[in-house]
Structures are given as C-alpha cells and as structure tokens.
C-alpha cells in the first residue's frame, strides 16, 4: 500500500469522528442547558439514539454482505450514498426548533437518524481494512494511519465545537464569588435566559458548528473515493460461497477470540464514552473549571493524537495484549481529579487520559483483523464474513455505550439536576464525580481482566499469517 492510499483511507473515516466527538462531549450539555429538556428526556434521547445505531449495525451488515461487486467496489457505494443524508441529519440534530413541547421528540428522531446513517458508513468503512491488502503488517499500518487521523478528527471535532460554542456556556453571573452572594439566586437563578428562540446566541453558535462539521463530511468522502481502491476478497475462490448472514452471525458468536475481544472492549469503550459525555458537565458544575473545559478537551485529544504512533510502535515491539496496559493509566489520575479538583492537576489528568484513550481506540481495530484471519483459517471456502464481524462488534459497543449514557443521564435526573443554574445540588455533584471516577475505573479493570484470556498471541498471529499465505 502506498502512503497516499493509507492517508486517503484514514481521512475518509475522520468526518465520523469529528461529528462523533462533538456529540460525545457536547450533546448532553446541549440538551440540558440549551434545549432545556429534562435529564430523563435527555437519557432517552442518548440511549434510544445509540440503540438505534446499534440495531442498524447487523442490518447494515446483512445488506452489505448481500451486495454485488460494482465498478467502484462492494463497500464504496454504501459510503457514497449515505453521506449527504448524514450531513442533513447532523445539522438538524443541533437545530433548536421554535416549539418547546416537542423538542425531546425532535432530537430523538434526528439523533436516531444520524446514528443509523453513520452506521451505514462505519460498517463498510471499517470492513474495508480487510480489502486493502492481504498483508497483516500493511493492514496494521493502515489501521495506525486511520486511528491517528481519526483521533485528529476527534480533536478537530471537539476543538471546533468547543471554541465555537464556548460562549454559550460562559456566564458572568456564575463567576460571582458564591460566599459573597447572600441570596439563594446562586442556586436557583438560571445562568442564561431560556434560549427558546432559535435565533438566540446559544442556538446560533451550535448551528454554525454543525454547518462547519457537515462540510468536513463532504470533503472526507471525496478524498476517500478518489484515493482508495477497494480490492475483492483476496482469499476467495470463484467457487466459494458467501456465508449466510444469520449462520455467520451464529458462528461469530461462538468464536472464542471474538467473544473475549468484544466483551473486553465493550466495557472499556463504555468507560471512555462516560468520561467524554460527562467531562464538560463535570468541569462546569463539579470542578469549578467552566472557563477551561474547551482547553481541557483539546488537551485530551492532542495527547491522544500524538500518542497513536507511539502505541503503534509499542504494540509492534511488545505485542497488542501488552499494549492494553496503557488503557489503565487514566484510572488513578481520574480519581485524583475527582478528589482534588485543581486546575494544574486537571490539565495533567487530561494529558494522561489522552494517552489511555489513544490505546483504547487503536487496539480493538488493530486486533479485530487478527480475529477475522483466525476465523478465516478455521472456515475456509467461505467469504463475506468480514462485514458480519465488524457490524456485530460495532453493535455491541454502541449498545453498551447507549446503556451507559442513558443510565448516567437518568442518574442526573434522579439526583435533581436543574438546567441553567450556576451551582447544582450536592447530590448532582457527587453523581458527576462517580461517573467520571469510580464507574469508568471499574469498567476498565473488568475489561482488562477479560482481555487476559484473549488467546491470539504474536506467535499465533505469525502462524495464522503463514497458513493463510499457503491457502492463498
């Protein structure tokens, strides 16, 4: 693979990460403090939206596995077709409708639509890794390029969104010294007027950010289409039959390495999602860092972006299972931030969290092709199983993340979160600390424990590679 092809492939996946990053960090606080829907309604939007995206994964995998080869490939037409609709759905996901009573339904519809459309892009895009090259090192290299650019996309998404919408979450009213405020207005007075007018400043800045990120989508798909050539299944014979989707799904669910990998990283990805979705809320309401949250988010993502090449070199030298230890680095520092909410410590925690997030993003997508190769060796003369693996993996990680986000937003509702006020109740602050510190720590530790039983080692990878070369 040429460097240009790897780079074009990597850039093609960046728009999804740009949009996903903006939603992960800012959608929950947007729904609560700008749209002014209740935390329970926000929890329904987040959970049902993630669930709809998750349900779309196996459906997309089914139809893509049935697709015929065209002049531009089997996977590329799906990515080209869904991108314009994704841009429209994303824009309206951040649009503040002029009515107040049906806002929750509005955001639910467009968030579900956005999640479903991004799935129709992500499943063929991630499966495309298997059709770039037959060489494991080349695929690992392409994955490293992809994850580096995707983390940069995450950085661009959160950075753009944070800089554009920061003015919507900064209020001079909330910078007053609370000890000098003898009234109860510090707790009960909203920090902003209700932005029910779609032309209000708060609504405008979010729509501007949505328009900018929508343009990134169009640029990314053009570069992907022009710079990447999809190859047909390199191991398949003309006599090989495509594996039926339902049968293939059953076989993947019984494939030991896949089950262990998926179980481990669905817990780890849920922990990362909880950190992302609650981080801005934590900085705003629990750590008195409301004027620094956009810079802390950028610190996290810059750290993640620059450390992906380091992790790629690390896993090549020491192995992929050994590299997973880096995911646990964020645990002690996140606990320190919760117990000692200091500004300097916050930036240090943000830097270490970025290192861990980079490892958690790179490893599953680097290990999944090894699982697919392992399955291919055990099931020769079958083809079309790649999209089944990728779609079901994304299904489980999205579903677990949706459950986690729904429970966290519902927890804020239960503890009395009130949108727009400067100082939240103590129960809300405690809940945010638990969601940032304790819950992700437990999920990461359990996920890494499951990964200890993952059977594919560096030696077995080499044996599989040799056997597949003989088969080819």
């Amino acid at each position: 693979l040429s460097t240009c092809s790897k780079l074009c492939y990597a850039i093609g996946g960046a728009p999804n990460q740009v949009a996903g990053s903006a939603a992960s960090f800012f959608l929950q606080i947007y729904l609560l403090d700008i749209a002014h829907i209740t935390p329970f309604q926000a929890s329904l939007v987040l959970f049902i939206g993630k669930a709809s995206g998750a349900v779309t994964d196996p459906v997309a995998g089914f139809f893509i596995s049935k697709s015929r080869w065209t002049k531009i490939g089997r996977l590329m037409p799906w990515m080209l077709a869904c991108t314009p609709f994704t841009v429209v759905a994303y824009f309206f996901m951040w649009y503040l409708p002029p009515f107040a009573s049906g806002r929750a339904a509005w955001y639910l519809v467009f968030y579900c639509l956005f999640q479903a459309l991004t799935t129709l892009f992500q499943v063929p895009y991630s499966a495309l890794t298997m059709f770039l090259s037959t060489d494991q090192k080349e695929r690992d290299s392409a994955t490293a390029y992809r994850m580096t650019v995707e983390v940069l996309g995450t950085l661009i998404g959160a950075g753009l969104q944070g800089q554009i919408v920061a003015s919507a979450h900064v209020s001079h009213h909330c910078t007053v010294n609370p000890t000098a405020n003898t009234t109860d207005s510090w707790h009960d007075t909203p920090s902003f007027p209700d932005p029910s007018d779609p032309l209000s400043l708060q609504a405008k800045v979010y729509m501007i950010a949505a328009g900018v990120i929508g343009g990134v989508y169009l640029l990314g798909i053009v570069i992907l289409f022009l710079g990447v050539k999809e190859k047909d299944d390199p191991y398949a014979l003309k006599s090989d039959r495509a594996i039926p989707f339902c049968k293939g799904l059953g076989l993947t669910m019984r494939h030991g390495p896949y089950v262990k990998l998926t179980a481990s990283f669905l817990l780890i990805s849920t922990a990362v999602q909880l950190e992302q979705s609650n981080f801005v809320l934590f900085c705003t309401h629990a750590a008195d860092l409301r004027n620094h949250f956009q810079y802390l988010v950028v610190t996290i993502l810059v750290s993640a972006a620059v450390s992906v090449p380091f992790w790629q070199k690390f896993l090549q030298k020491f192995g992929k299972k050994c590299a997973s230890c880096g995911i646990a680095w964020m645990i002690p520092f996140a606990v320190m931030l919760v117990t000692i909410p200091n500004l300097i410590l916050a930036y240090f925690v943000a830097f270490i969290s970025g290192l861990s997030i980079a490892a958690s993003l790179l490893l599953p997508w680097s290990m999944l092709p090894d699982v697919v190769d392992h399955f291919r060796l055990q099931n020769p003369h079958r083809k079309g199983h790649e999209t089944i693996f990728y779609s079901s993996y994304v299904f489980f990680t999205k579903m677990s993340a949706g459950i986690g986000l729904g429970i966290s937003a519902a927890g804020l509702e239960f503890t009395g979160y009130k949108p727009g006020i400067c100082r939240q109740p103590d129960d809300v602050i405690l809940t945010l600390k638990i969601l940032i510190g304790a819950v992700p720590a437990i999920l990461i530790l359990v996920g890494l424990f499951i990964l200890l039983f993952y059977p594919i080692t560096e030696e077995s990878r080499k044996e599989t590679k040799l056997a597949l070369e003989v088969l080819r």
Side-chain angles (χ1 to χ4, degrees), residues 188-203:
D188 299 328
T189 303
S191 57
F192 310 105
D194 184 1
S196 57
D197 181 6
L199 299 178
S200 66
L201 172 64
Q202 293 91 339

Side-chain angles (χ1 to χ4, degrees), residues 173-213:
H173 172 73
C174 291
T175 60
V176 177
N177 185 356
T179 59
N181 194 334
T182 57
T183 68
D184 291 332
S185 63
W186 180 265
H187 291 273
D188 299 328
T189 303
S191 57
F192 310 105
D194 184 1
S196 57
D197 181 6
L199 299 178
S200 66
L201 172 64
Q202 293 91 339
K204 280 182 178 178
V205 293
Y206 271 96
M207 289 172 62
I208 291 170
V212 171
I213 291 175

Side-chain angles (χ1 to χ4, degrees), residues 50-217:
K50 284 286 187 181
S52 68
V55 170
T56 310
D57 283 304
V59 176
F62 173 78
F63 285 108
I64 292 170
S65 67
K66 298 288 185 182
S67 300
R68 294 183 178 180
W69 183 265
T70 67
K71 292 181 178 179
I72 59 173
R74 186 162 58 93
L75 304 174
M76 190 67 73
W78 287 88
M79 295 180 275
L80 289 173
C82 70
T83 297
F85 300 101
T86 306
V87 173
V88 174
Y90 182 79
F91 179 81
F92 282 109
M93 191 176 82
W94 298 100
Y95 174 73
L96 189 68
F99 47 84
S101 58
R103 281 183 189 168
W106 173 278
Y107 293 115
L108 179 62
V109 168
F110 282 103
Y111 188 51
C112 288
L113 188 59
F114 172 72
Q115 288 289 337
L117 288 168
T118 53
T119 294
L120 289 177
F121 181 94
Q122 190 65 27
V123 170
Y125 174 76
S126 55
L128 185 60
T129 309
M130 301 301 298
F131 300 98
L132 296 176
S133 174
T134 60
D135 187 79
Q136 290 180 348
K137 287 186 177 180
E138 288 293 313
R139 291 201 305 255
D140 285 347
S141 177
T143 300
Y145 271 80
R146 170 192 163 191
M147 298 317 302
T148 302
V149 175
E150 286 191 356
V151 173
L152 286 172
T154 305
L155 167 63
I156 292 169
L160 273 177
Q161 189 89 358
Q163 294 300 320
I164 294 173
V165 309
S167 60
H169 298 286
V170 175
S171 171
H172 295 295
H173 172 73
C174 291
T175 60
V176 177
N177 185 356
T179 59
N181 194 334
T182 57
T183 68
D184 291 332
S185 63
W186 180 265
H187 291 273
D188 299 328
T189 303
S191 57
F192 310 105
D194 184 1
S196 57
D197 181 6
L199 299 178
S200 66
L201 172 64
Q202 293 91 339
K204 280 182 178 178
V205 293
Y206 271 96
M207 289 172 62
I208 291 170
V212 171
I213 291 175
V216 174
Y217 258 106

Side-chain angles (χ1 to χ4, degrees), residues 249-266:
L249 190 61
L251 289 174
T252 59
M253 293 302 101
R254 294 194 297 271
H255 191 62
Y258 177 73
V259 172
K260 293 179 177 67
L261 180 70
T262 303
S264 172
F265 277 98
L266 69 84

